[in-house]
Amino acid sequence: MSTTTVAHHDEHHDHPTGIMRWLTTTNHKDIGTMYLTFSLIMFLVGGSMILGIRAELFKPGLQLMNPEFFNQLIGVHALIMIFAALMPAATGFANWMLPLQIGAPDMALPRLNNWGFWILPPSAILLTLPFTLALFGVGDGALATGWTFYPPLSVQGGIGVDFAIFAVHLLGISSVLGSINIIVTIYNMRAPGMTLMKMPMFAWGWLITAFLLIATIPVLAGAVTMLLTDRHFGTHFFDAAGGGDPIMFQHLFWFFGHPEVYILLLPVWGFIPQILQTFSRKPMYGYKAQVYSLWAIGALAVVVWAHHFFTAGMPVPALLYFMYSTMAISLPLAVLFYCWIRTMWKGSMSFETPMLFTVGWIILFGIGGLTGLVLADVAADAQYHNSYFVVAHFHYTLFAGGIMGIMAGVYYWLPKMTGHMYNEKLGKLHFWLTAISFNVTFIPQFFVGLAGMPRRIPDYALQFAEFNMISSIGAFVLGLSQLLFVYNIVSCARGGKKATDQVWEGAQGLEWTLPSPPPYHSFTEQPVVK
Amino acid sequence: MKEDQERANKQLVIKLVWIVAGALVFAFALVPLYDVICAVTGLNGKTNSTAELVVPVKVDSTREVTVQFISSVMPGLGWNFFPLENSVKVHPGQVTTVLFEAKNTTSTEVSGQAIPSVTPGKASAHLKKIECFCFVKQTLKPGEVKKLPLRFFISADLPQDVHELTLSYSFFPAAQ
Ligand code: HEM
Ligand SMILES: [Cu+2]
């Protein structure tokens, strides 16, 4: 399909070494590595926080922490997982793989790329700093509103809210810079002959994600800025007494928030079909149908936001509109599921770790989508809203659909990135431990949710005790299993069996024509795609 | 070749920055837009915030609707506040007066602002207030009890399927 000229130019050693190399680097692979490392660290940080929550919920009653601290852990956990773990992981892959996949020498805007990354660590510090400040008697801890910042609670809250607002500003700037870079790279840097409809699916997933990001992150930034001025400068955007409206915040927040859930997943929907075709040893099914479905989902994503607050009060026609438009999203999603399954159909499949994660991902993400359909039903949502059912739903979509997808990508590309094979046995063990303990953690939450256990509450009625205990045990196994993941990545980066250029027998695409690891400057002469 | 590439990149970046700026403007434009949409559709149950000047002459005695009153006090305002009647039955066009009572339970002079809201939302534009304690902020001395009057009517074009509507007041702390 393609011919490539690989330049073995490793003589470019005029770049600085040590920490300065990382601070000043404009190389897409270095930046990709930094994004992925940052993401892994924050995944562990956010995970440890929620283990604190699960420990508290192990038994009814208050044992370990006061309710304020409990609420702070929940909100910061969510913000970290979404903005500092999942999004940077996807951006890390984009940096590493997009130039390789589309035959570009680097990202289009290397310097911007460097800034985009280095904004992240300070914002993660801003987010968590109030915890430390509270230890020294400054303020009363991090934001306690959950990740959704709803007023009036967020207007009344302590300095934690201000820190979180600034952190969100910075994280937003970082995402917007990253997105601009990705769009420009995809539009302008493709190898000659690679038309848009010949692009790898991962590039499509990211292109739509990037457009969603630049269109919705500013709305979130605007909303939290209004919150900030309400808090400190006497405006009344969300204050009913001053003529404002707290419900308006929910509209603004979810106008960003619902597209955000697709922002988190579209990059994954991009590389999953590539993994499937590799391990099924046949081309992906329905390339065009998949591209159109991704666009359809991207477009629908911005017109369904109010399904997150059906219960806040809306006229019936609005309820019906948001219900049916939300349900409509499952149609293009069903097309994607069909294509994924059809890609495997009658393929000569093998189940290395990336494929295990991918197949597990399809099943678990499917459960996430189906339970979302249940929540989209206005009449049912009146019961399920703000219950543990919602928590279980969005963990099937975000942990299974997001994080487990990212893990599939990590195992798939790790040999390409490091030049070594990871430990396959450990990888498989990691998969099974993760998949099983994930279900042990979250299946009980569907049931306690249906039975009426509300979310974001540190204590609960006695009849929920057994299921919460099971869920907590699952969560600790799930958390500890991730240490295997970290170990496997680190030892693979250090050494191991040498990976071939193609790595996987059935791998297709330009990135697999380069050596493993690819040279510092990949394509000095652009490959030509026929 | 390289310069061409850089020029093209720059032009695309500028276009994309315009999208970002547009989205930011859109976010702030949603504030007035939201108010307009709510006023037109009655989405959030807002009612008129200044006195209705035109009083109807005709009373439609063939129809009767129930108007319920509920009250709440927001955190930070040390008042008791409740309607003296929980509900009244009225004919469309009939002008009715009801009383609420507020008591300042603190030892300082405090001001509060009442915010009305009507459900169902589609009825909110049809509840017209002629006189209301919610038009201005109220100030109570320590321990003071005050009767707060509301004069209103239901306009005759209230949708036929509405038989009952609820008017809720929340008292918010207001700056002195
Ligand atoms: C067909 C697919 C889906 C449908 C119909 C759907 C529907 C819904 C609905 C109606 C809610 C609101 C429930 C409530 O609060 O009462 C909800 C919550 C949520 N969904 Fe989904 N969803 C779908 C897929 C997804 C995906 C793919 C993601 C993430 C990647 C996701 C993430 C979330 C999150 C994070 C929440 C909770 C937000 C919060 O209140 O904190 N959903 N979903
Ligand atoms: Cu949503």
Side-chain angles (χ1 to χ4, degrees):
Chain A
M1 168 191 175
S2 56
T3 54
T4 39
T5 323
V6 177
H8 292 272
H9 271 238
D10 266 355
E11 79 270 21
H12 265 268
H13 281 305
D14 47 342
H15 46 78
T17 49
I19 180 77
M20 280 315 283
R21 163 178 172 197
W22 298 103
L23 276 175
T24 59
T25 183
T26 55
N27 179 282
H28 73 99
K29 299 186 195 86
D30 284 353
I31 294 176
T33 303
M34 290 197 295
Y35 266 109
L36 289 168
T37 312
F38 175 78
S39 157
L40 183 61
I41 294 171
M42 295 316 287
F43 173 59
L44 298 177
V45 172
S48 320
M49 288 181 173
I50 215 62
L51 288 187
I53 297 288
R54 278 320 318 175
E56 173 61 56
L57 291 174
F58 187 73
K59 278 199 303 193
L62 295 179
Q63 287 92 21
L64 302 174
M65 54 186 80
N66 60 33
E68 288 76 29
F69 186 63
F70 180 95
N71 288 342
Q72 294 169 11
L73 281 185
I74 285 199
V76 178
H77 156 78
L79 285 170
I80 285 184
M81 285 305 191
I82 291 171
F83 286 98
L86 209 39
M87 288 169 76
T91 316
F93 280 151
N95 268 293
W96 246 104
M97 291 302 157
L98 275 183
L100 303 188
Q101 287 195 335
I102 64 173
D106 201 313
M107 297 293 281
L109 312 162
R111 194 133 338 128
L112 202 72
N113 210 2
N114 174 290
W115 298 340
F117 173 76
W118 280 109
I119 292 174
L120 284 182
S123 43
I125 292 172
L126 268 186
L127 204 54
T128 46
L129 195 61
F131 284 126
T132 323
L133 289 180
L135 291 181
F136 296 98
V138 183
D140 47 8
L143 97 158
T145 64
W147 78 290
T148 49
F149 289 93
Y150 280 5
L153 193 56
S154 55
V155 176
Q156 297 155 354
I159 56 163
V161 180
D162 299 316
F163 275 85
I165 289 174
F166 286 125
V168 164
H169 278 142
L170 290 181
L171 293 162
I173 292 173
S174 166
S175 306
V176 167
L177 293 180
S179 301
I180 290 181
N181 202 356
I182 285 167
I183 296 176
V184 176
T185 305
I186 292 178
Y187 268 123
N188 289 355
M189 312 276 285
R190 272 170 292 130
M194 183 177 280
T195 57
L196 282 177
M197 285 314 269
K198 276 189 192 160
M199 281 198 312
M201 197 57 74
F202 182 54
W204 273 117
W206 245 112
L207 185 65
I208 300 164
T209 299
F211 273 116
L212 283 176
L213 273 168
I214 61 172
T216 61
I217 286 271
V219 177
L220 174 70
V224 295
T225 306
M226 291 178 212
L227 206 54
L228 193 71
T229 62
D230 267 16
R231 285 169 58 79
H232 298 294
F233 306 109
T235 56
H236 302 288
F237 288 109
F238 308 124
D239 176 9
D245 192 333
I247 303 290
M248 185 175 73
F249 182 85
Q250 304 190 10
H251 282 282
L252 289 171
F253 182 85
W254 288 111
F255 184 82
F256 149 81
H258 186 78
E260 171 69 11
V261 307
Y262 295 104
I263 287 165
L264 294 168
L265 288 193
L266 280 162
V268 179
W269 298 344
F271 63 71
I272 284 289
Q274 298 176 353
I275 300 180
L276 282 172
Q277 72 179 3
T278 298
F279 295 98
S280 305
R281 293 170 182 77
K282 65 198 258 279
M284 72 178 74
Y285 178 83
Y287 175 91
K288 270 192 192 162
Q290 292 193 42
V291 172
Y292 296 149
S293 299
L294 295 181
W295 275 112
I297 292 171
L300 283 170
V302 286
V303 295
V304 298
W305 71 92
H307 62 221
H308 288 275
F309 48 98
F310 281 143
T311 53
M314 249 178 270
V316 174
L319 289 175
L320 290 176
Y321 162 74
F322 283 111
M323 170 165 87
Y324 289 128
S325 56
T326 302
M327 289 179 168
I329 295 191
S330 53
L331 299 177
L333 207 50
V335 173
L336 289 179
F337 270 93
Y338 178 74
C339 294
W340 298 332
I341 294 170
R342 227 0 238 278
T343 301
M344 292 186 282
W345 188 253
K346 292 190 175 164
S348 37
M349 295 206 286
S350 59
F351 293 92
E352 287 85 348
T353 311
M355 186 62 166
L356 280 181
F357 267 98
T358 302
V359 176
W361 177 91
I362 293 179
I363 297 169
L364 297 177
F365 174 55
I367 298 177
L370 289 175
T371 50
L373 213 49
V374 174
L375 290 171
D377 182 323
V378 172
D381 188 60
Q383 179 187 349
Y384 305 153
H385 180 65
N386 255 347
S387 78
Y388 255 88
F389 188 90
V390 176
V391 177
H393 153 69
F394 67 73
H395 282 91
Y396 272 84
T397 55
L398 291 179
F399 188 96
I403 298 284
M404 283 178 69
I406 294 286
M407 285 171 176
V410 169
Y411 284 113
Y412 183 56
W413 280 320
L414 203 55
K416 173 57 58 184
M417 296 191 282
T418 61
H420 309 123
M421 297 307 288
Y422 57 85
N423 182 330
E424 189 64 52
K425 268 211 189 95
L426 274 187
K428 285 185 170 148
L429 182 65
H430 173 227
F431 167 74
W432 286 110
L433 280 172
T434 301
I436 293 172
S437 57
F438 168 79
N439 282 295
V440 173
T441 309
F442 290 104
I443 287 178
Q445 297 188 6
F446 280 124
F447 291 106
V448 290
L450 289 178
M453 179 167 159
R455 62 194 278 217
R456 295 179 179 161
I457 300 282
D459 189 6
Y460 50 84
L462 289 179
Q463 74 261 32
F464 304 135
E466 284 81 6
F467 275 19
N468 271 290
M469 192 177 278
I470 297 171
S471 180
S472 288
I473 293 170
F476 274 89
V477 178
L478 184 57
L480 292 176
S481 312
Q482 304 320 313
L483 297 179
L484 281 181
F485 184 49
V486 177
Y487 174 80
N488 214 348
I489 293 176
V490 172
S491 52
C492 175
R494 288 247 177 94
K497 207 180 98 202
K498 196 87 192 75
T500 60
D501 291 1
Q502 203 192 2
V503 183
W504 312 109
E505 190 190 53
Q508 301 278 325
L510 286 181
E511 80 258 43
W512 308 107
T513 61
L514 290 168
S516 305
Y520 199 65
H521 298 283
S522 334
F523 301 104
T524 38
E525 208 169 300
Q526 276 199 311
V528 176
V529 179
K530 292 193 203 93
Chain B
M1 182 63 200
K2 192 140 195 300
E3 283 87 70
D4 283 354
Q5 175 93 72
E6 267 166 23
R7 194 161 338 108
N9 287 355
K10 211 178 198 168
Q11 279 170 353
L12 187 52
V13 169
I14 291 170
K15 281 186 203 144
L16 295 172
V17 169
W18 274 112
I19 299 185
V20 175
L24 199 60
V25 171
F26 175 69
F28 284 92
L30 278 175
V31 178
L33 217 62
Y34 181 80
D35 280 343
V36 172
I37 293 172
C38 289
V40 173
T41 61
L43 235 166
N44 55 357
K46 276 192 181 154
T47 55
N48 57 316
S49 53
T50 51
E52 194 70 34
L53 299 173
V54 189
V55 179
V57 279
K58 238 184 85 207
V59 175
D60 177 5
S61 50
T62 60
R63 241 184 117 184
E64 198 176 56
V65 277
T66 309
V67 184
Q68 295 182 319
F69 305 102
I70 52 179
S71 61
S72 60
V73 179
M74 298 309 278
L77 185 68
W79 287 11
N80 292 336
F81 167 62
F82 50 88
L84 293 185
E85 285 165 281
N86 286 329
S87 73
V88 291
K89 285 193 183 336
V90 297
H91 301 299
Q94 172 193 357
V95 176
T96 313
T97 305
V98 289
L99 287 177
F100 287 68
E101 189 177 289
K103 177 178 182 197
N104 180 356
T105 60
T106 68
S107 52
T108 47
E109 184 174 293
V110 201
S111 299
Q113 171 70 53
I115 302 293
S117 171
V118 171
T119 29
K122 66 180 170 184
S124 57
H126 304 281
L127 188 140
K128 311 269 192 192
K129 290 177 266 117
I130 302 166
E131 187 191 332
C132 179
F133 55 91
C134 63
F135 291 158
V136 290
K137 73 181 175 200
Q138 302 290 329
T139 306
L140 294 186
K141 294 196 183 56
E144 184 184 349
V145 180
K146 205 171 178 178
K147 294 261 189 307
L148 303 169
L150 161 71
R151 263 170 88 69
F152 72 97
F153 64 91
I154 305 291
S155 63
D157 52 357
L158 178 76
Q160 285 297 333
D161 58 337
V162 178
H163 307 289
E164 190 173 86
L165 42 95
T166 307
L167 172 57
S168 124
Y169 280 106
S170 304
F171 248 110
F172 285 78
Q176 294 290 345

Short mmCIF file of all heavy atoms in Angstrom, two decimals, chain A residues 97-138:
data_model
loop_
_atom_site.label_atom_id
_atom_site.label_comp_id
_atom_site.label_asym_id
_atom_site.label_seq_id
_atom_site.Cartn_x
_atom_site.Cartn_y
_atom_site.Cartn_z
N MET A 97 1.72 8.93 17.65
CA MET A 97 1.36 8.10 16.51
C MET A 97 0.84 8.84 15.29
O MET A 97 1.03 8.38 14.18
CB MET A 97 0.30 7.07 16.95
CG MET A 97 0.87 6.03 17.89
SD MET A 97 2.26 5.19 17.10
CE MET A 97 3.15 4.59 18.52
N LEU A 98 0.18 10.01 15.50
CA LEU A 98 -0.39 10.68 14.32
C LEU A 98 0.66 10.97 13.26
O LEU A 98 0.49 10.61 12.10
CB LEU A 98 -1.14 11.96 14.72
CG LEU A 98 -2.58 11.78 15.14
CD1 LEU A 98 -3.22 13.13 15.43
CD2 LEU A 98 -3.39 11.05 14.08
N PRO A 99 1.81 11.62 13.64
CA PRO A 99 2.81 11.89 12.59
C PRO A 99 3.28 10.60 11.92
O PRO A 99 3.44 10.57 10.70
CB PRO A 99 3.95 12.58 13.36
CG PRO A 99 3.29 13.17 14.55
CD PRO A 99 2.20 12.21 14.92
N LEU A 100 3.46 9.54 12.71
CA LEU A 100 3.93 8.29 12.11
C LEU A 100 2.87 7.71 11.18
O LEU A 100 3.17 7.19 10.11
CB LEU A 100 4.25 7.26 13.20
CG LEU A 100 5.28 7.62 14.27
CD1 LEU A 100 5.59 6.40 15.12
CD2 LEU A 100 6.54 8.15 13.63
N GLN A 101 1.60 7.81 11.61
CA GLN A 101 0.54 7.18 10.82
C GLN A 101 0.24 7.92 9.54
O GLN A 101 -0.19 7.32 8.56
CB GLN A 101 -0.74 7.08 11.65
CG GLN A 101 -0.67 6.03 12.73
CD GLN A 101 -2.04 5.71 13.30
OE1 GLN A 101 -2.95 6.53 13.25
NE2 GLN A 101 -2.19 4.52 13.83
N ILE A 102 0.42 9.25 9.55
CA ILE A 102 0.08 9.99 8.33
C ILE A 102 1.34 10.37 7.56
O ILE A 102 1.27 11.11 6.58
CB ILE A 102 -0.77 11.24 8.64
CG1 ILE A 102 0.02 12.25 9.48
CG2 ILE A 102 -2.06 10.85 9.35
CD1 ILE A 102 -0.72 13.56 9.65
N GLY A 103 2.49 9.89 8.01
CA GLY A 103 3.72 10.11 7.27
C GLY A 103 4.26 11.53 7.36
O GLY A 103 4.79 12.07 6.39
N ALA A 104 4.12 12.17 8.52
CA ALA A 104 4.64 13.52 8.70
C ALA A 104 5.94 13.47 9.50
O ALA A 104 6.13 12.57 10.32
CB ALA A 104 3.61 14.37 9.44
N PRO A 105 6.86 14.42 9.27
CA PRO A 105 8.11 14.41 10.03
C PRO A 105 7.91 14.74 11.50
O PRO A 105 8.67 14.29 12.36
CB PRO A 105 8.96 15.48 9.34
CG PRO A 105 8.00 16.32 8.56
CD PRO A 105 6.83 15.46 8.24
N ASP A 106 6.93 15.53 11.83
CA ASP A 106 6.67 15.91 13.23
C ASP A 106 5.27 16.51 13.27
O ASP A 106 4.57 16.53 12.27
CB ASP A 106 7.71 16.93 13.72
CG ASP A 106 7.80 16.96 15.26
OD1 ASP A 106 6.75 16.99 15.93
OD2 ASP A 106 8.92 16.93 15.79
N MET A 107 4.84 17.02 14.46
CA MET A 107 3.60 17.76 14.52
C MET A 107 3.81 19.10 13.83
O MET A 107 4.94 19.59 13.72
CB MET A 107 3.16 17.98 15.96
CG MET A 107 2.86 16.69 16.72
SD MET A 107 1.41 15.83 16.11
CE MET A 107 0.09 16.78 16.86
N ALA A 108 2.71 19.74 13.40
CA ALA A 108 2.83 20.97 12.63
C ALA A 108 3.40 22.11 13.46
O ALA A 108 4.13 22.95 12.96
CB ALA A 108 1.48 21.36 12.05
N LEU A 109 3.05 22.18 14.74
CA LEU A 109 3.41 23.33 15.57
C LEU A 109 4.17 22.84 16.79
O LEU A 109 3.62 22.76 17.89
CB LEU A 109 2.16 24.08 16.00
CG LEU A 109 1.15 24.38 14.87
CD1 LEU A 109 -0.22 24.71 15.43
CD2 LEU A 109 1.67 25.52 14.00
N PRO A 110 5.47 22.53 16.62
CA PRO A 110 6.22 21.87 17.69
C PRO A 110 6.33 22.70 18.96
O PRO A 110 6.23 22.17 20.07
CB PRO A 110 7.60 21.63 17.08
CG PRO A 110 7.49 21.98 15.65
CD PRO A 110 6.26 22.76 15.43
N ARG A 111 6.52 24.02 18.81
CA ARG A 111 6.72 24.81 20.02
C ARG A 111 5.44 24.88 20.84
O ARG A 111 5.43 24.70 22.06
CB ARG A 111 7.20 26.23 19.65
CG ARG A 111 7.74 26.96 20.82
CD ARG A 111 9.08 27.66 20.60
NE ARG A 111 9.87 27.14 19.51
CZ ARG A 111 10.37 27.91 18.54
NH1 ARG A 111 10.11 29.19 18.52
NH2 ARG A 111 11.11 27.38 17.59
N LEU A 112 4.31 25.09 20.15
CA LEU A 112 3.00 25.10 20.80
C LEU A 112 2.77 23.79 21.54
O LEU A 112 2.20 23.75 22.63
CB LEU A 112 1.95 25.25 19.70
CG LEU A 112 0.59 25.80 20.10
CD1 LEU A 112 0.73 27.28 20.38
CD2 LEU A 112 -0.39 25.59 18.96
N ASN A 113 3.25 22.73 20.92
CA ASN A 113 3.11 21.40 21.48
C ASN A 113 3.78 21.32 22.85
O ASN A 113 3.23 20.81 23.82
CB ASN A 113 3.77 20.41 20.52
CG ASN A 113 3.12 19.05 20.56
OD1 ASN A 113 2.16 18.85 21.28
ND2 ASN A 113 3.66 18.13 19.80
N ASN A 114 5.00 21.87 22.91
CA ASN A 114 5.74 21.89 24.17
C ASN A 114 4.99 22.67 25.23
O ASN A 114 4.81 22.20 26.36
CB ASN A 114 7.13 22.50 23.92
CG ASN A 114 7.90 22.68 25.20
OD1 ASN A 114 7.57 23.53 26.02
ND2 ASN A 114 8.95 21.89 25.40
N TRP A 115 4.47 23.85 24.90
CA TRP A 115 3.70 24.64 25.89
C TRP A 115 2.48 23.88 26.33
O TRP A 115 2.16 23.84 27.52
CB TRP A 115 3.25 25.97 25.28
CG TRP A 115 4.35 26.87 24.87
CD1 TRP A 115 5.65 26.82 25.29
CD2 TRP A 115 4.28 27.93 23.92
NE1 TRP A 115 6.39 27.78 24.67
CE2 TRP A 115 5.58 28.48 23.83
CE3 TRP A 115 3.25 28.49 23.16
CZ2 TRP A 115 5.87 29.55 22.99
CZ3 TRP A 115 3.54 29.56 22.33
CH2 TRP A 115 4.84 30.08 22.25
N GLY A 116 1.77 23.29 25.36
CA GLY A 116 0.55 22.55 25.68
C GLY A 116 0.81 21.53 26.76
O GLY A 116 0.02 21.39 27.69
N PHE A 117 1.94 20.82 26.65
CA PHE A 117 2.21 19.84 27.70
C PHE A 117 2.57 20.51 29.02
O PHE A 117 2.04 20.14 30.06
CB PHE A 117 3.33 18.87 27.32
CG PHE A 117 3.67 18.00 28.51
CD1 PHE A 117 2.83 16.96 28.85
CD2 PHE A 117 4.75 18.28 29.33
CE1 PHE A 117 3.08 16.20 29.98
CE2 PHE A 117 5.00 17.51 30.46
CZ PHE A 117 4.16 16.47 30.78
N TRP A 118 3.47 21.48 28.98
CA TRP A 118 4.00 22.00 30.25
C TRP A 118 3.01 22.83 31.05
O TRP A 118 3.29 23.22 32.17
CB TRP A 118 5.33 22.73 30.03
CG TRP A 118 6.44 21.72 29.89
CD1 TRP A 118 7.13 21.40 28.77
CD2 TRP A 118 6.94 20.86 30.93
NE1 TRP A 118 8.03 20.39 29.03
CE2 TRP A 118 7.94 20.05 30.34
CE3 TRP A 118 6.64 20.68 32.28
CZ2 TRP A 118 8.64 19.08 31.07
CZ3 TRP A 118 7.34 19.72 33.00
CH2 TRP A 118 8.32 18.93 32.39
N ILE A 119 1.84 23.10 30.47
CA ILE A 119 0.77 23.74 31.27
C ILE A 119 0.15 22.70 32.22
O ILE A 119 -0.38 23.04 33.27
CB ILE A 119 -0.32 24.30 30.33
CG1 ILE A 119 0.24 25.47 29.53
CG2 ILE A 119 -1.52 24.78 31.12
CD1 ILE A 119 -0.74 25.97 28.48
N LEU A 120 0.24 21.42 31.82
CA LEU A 120 -0.49 20.39 32.58
C LEU A 120 -0.01 20.20 34.03
O LEU A 120 -0.83 20.23 34.95
CB LEU A 120 -0.45 19.05 31.85
CG LEU A 120 -1.36 18.91 30.64
CD1 LEU A 120 -1.22 17.51 30.05
CD2 LEU A 120 -2.81 19.14 31.03
N PRO A 121 1.31 20.00 34.25
CA PRO A 121 1.72 19.73 35.63
C PRO A 121 1.32 20.85 36.60
O PRO A 121 0.78 20.55 37.68
CB PRO A 121 3.23 19.56 35.53
CG PRO A 121 3.46 19.13 34.12
CD PRO A 121 2.42 19.83 33.30
N PRO A 122 1.51 22.15 36.22
CA PRO A 122 1.06 23.18 37.16
C PRO A 122 -0.43 23.11 37.45
O PRO A 122 -0.85 23.35 38.60
CB PRO A 122 1.38 24.50 36.43
CG PRO A 122 2.39 24.15 35.41
CD PRO A 122 2.18 22.73 35.04
N SER A 123 -1.24 22.76 36.45
CA SER A 123 -2.67 22.75 36.74
C SER A 123 -3.03 21.56 37.64
O SER A 123 -3.93 21.69 38.47
CB SER A 123 -3.50 22.75 35.46
OG SER A 123 -2.96 21.88 34.52
N ALA A 124 -2.32 20.45 37.48
CA ALA A 124 -2.57 19.33 38.40
C ALA A 124 -2.20 19.73 39.82
O ALA A 124 -2.89 19.38 40.78
CB ALA A 124 -1.77 18.10 37.97
N ILE A 125 -1.12 20.51 39.95
CA ILE A 125 -0.72 20.96 41.28
C ILE A 125 -1.77 21.91 41.85
O ILE A 125 -2.17 21.80 43.01
CB ILE A 125 0.67 21.63 41.22
CG1 ILE A 125 1.72 20.55 40.90
CG2 ILE A 125 1.00 22.34 42.53
CD1 ILE A 125 3.10 21.10 40.63
N LEU A 126 -2.27 22.83 41.00
CA LEU A 126 -3.31 23.76 41.46
C LEU A 126 -4.52 23.01 42.01
O LEU A 126 -5.10 23.39 43.03
CB LEU A 126 -3.79 24.62 40.30
CG LEU A 126 -3.11 25.95 40.06
CD1 LEU A 126 -3.85 26.70 38.94
CD2 LEU A 126 -3.14 26.79 41.32
N LEU A 127 -4.87 21.95 41.31
CA LEU A 127 -6.06 21.19 41.67
C LEU A 127 -5.92 20.54 43.04
O LEU A 127 -6.86 20.46 43.82
CB LEU A 127 -6.29 20.13 40.60
CG LEU A 127 -7.67 19.57 40.38
CD1 LEU A 127 -8.66 20.68 40.14
CD2 LEU A 127 -7.64 18.64 39.16
N THR A 128 -4.71 20.05 43.33
CA THR A 128 -4.53 19.28 44.56
C THR A 128 -3.94 20.10 45.70
O THR A 128 -3.97 19.67 46.85
CB THR A 128 -3.60 18.07 44.29
OG1 THR A 128 -2.48 18.52 43.54
CG2 THR A 128 -4.33 17.01 43.50
N LEU A 129 -3.41 21.28 45.37
CA LEU A 129 -2.77 22.11 46.40
C LEU A 129 -3.66 22.40 47.62
O LEU A 129 -3.18 22.36 48.75
CB LEU A 129 -2.27 23.41 45.78
CG LEU A 129 -1.28 24.23 46.60
CD1 LEU A 129 -0.01 23.43 46.85
CD2 LEU A 129 -0.93 25.53 45.87
N PRO A 130 -4.98 22.69 47.41
CA PRO A 130 -5.81 23.01 48.58
C PRO A 130 -5.81 21.92 49.66
O PRO A 130 -5.93 22.23 50.84
CB PRO A 130 -7.21 23.17 47.99
CG PRO A 130 -6.97 23.56 46.58
CD PRO A 130 -5.73 22.83 46.16
N PHE A 131 -5.61 20.65 49.27
CA PHE A 131 -5.50 19.59 50.28
C PHE A 131 -4.32 19.88 51.21
O PHE A 131 -4.44 19.82 52.43
CB PHE A 131 -5.25 18.23 49.61
CG PHE A 131 -6.47 17.62 48.97
CD1 PHE A 131 -6.45 17.24 47.64
CD2 PHE A 131 -7.63 17.41 49.70
CE1 PHE A 131 -7.56 16.66 47.05
CE2 PHE A 131 -8.74 16.82 49.11
CZ PHE A 131 -8.70 16.46 47.78
N THR A 132 -3.18 20.20 50.59
CA THR A 132 -1.98 20.47 51.37
C THR A 132 -2.13 21.75 52.17
O THR A 132 -1.77 21.82 53.35
CB THR A 132 -0.76 20.60 50.43
OG1 THR A 132 -0.91 19.66 49.37
CG2 THR A 132 0.53 20.38 51.16
N LEU A 133 -2.69 22.79 51.55
CA LEU A 133 -2.87 24.06 52.24
C LEU A 133 -3.72 23.86 53.50
O LEU A 133 -3.44 24.43 54.55
CB LEU A 133 -3.54 25.08 51.33
CG LEU A 133 -2.68 25.62 50.18
CD1 LEU A 133 -3.47 26.63 49.35
CD2 LEU A 133 -1.41 26.27 50.73
N ALA A 134 -4.76 23.01 53.37
CA ALA A 134 -5.64 22.80 54.52
C ALA A 134 -4.87 22.19 55.70
O ALA A 134 -5.18 22.48 56.86
CB ALA A 134 -6.81 21.89 54.13
N LEU A 135 -3.86 21.37 55.39
CA LEU A 135 -3.05 20.79 56.47
C LEU A 135 -2.35 21.88 57.26
O LEU A 135 -2.09 21.73 58.45
CB LEU A 135 -2.00 19.83 55.89
CG LEU A 135 -2.53 18.54 55.27
CD1 LEU A 135 -1.38 17.69 54.77
CD2 LEU A 135 -3.37 17.77 56.27
N PHE A 136 -2.04 23.00 56.59
CA PHE A 136 -1.37 24.11 57.28
C PHE A 136 -2.37 25.16 57.72
O PHE A 136 -2.00 26.31 57.98
CB PHE A 136 -0.30 24.72 56.37
CG PHE A 136 0.81 23.77 56.05
CD1 PHE A 136 0.83 23.06 54.87
CD2 PHE A 136 1.83 23.55 56.98
CE1 PHE A 136 1.85 22.16 54.58
CE2 PHE A 136 2.85 22.65 56.71
CZ PHE A 136 2.86 21.95 55.52
N GLY A 137 -3.64 24.80 57.73
CA GLY A 137 -4.64 25.72 58.25
C GLY A 137 -5.07 26.80 57.28
O GLY A 137 -5.75 27.75 57.66
N VAL A 138 -4.67 26.70 56.00
CA VAL A 138 -5.12 27.69 55.03
C VAL A 138 -6.30 27.10 54.26
O VAL A 138 -6.17 26.07 53.60
CB VAL A 138 -3.98 28.04 54.03
CG1 VAL A 138 -4.47 29.12 53.07
CG2 VAL A 138 -2.75 28.49 54.79
#
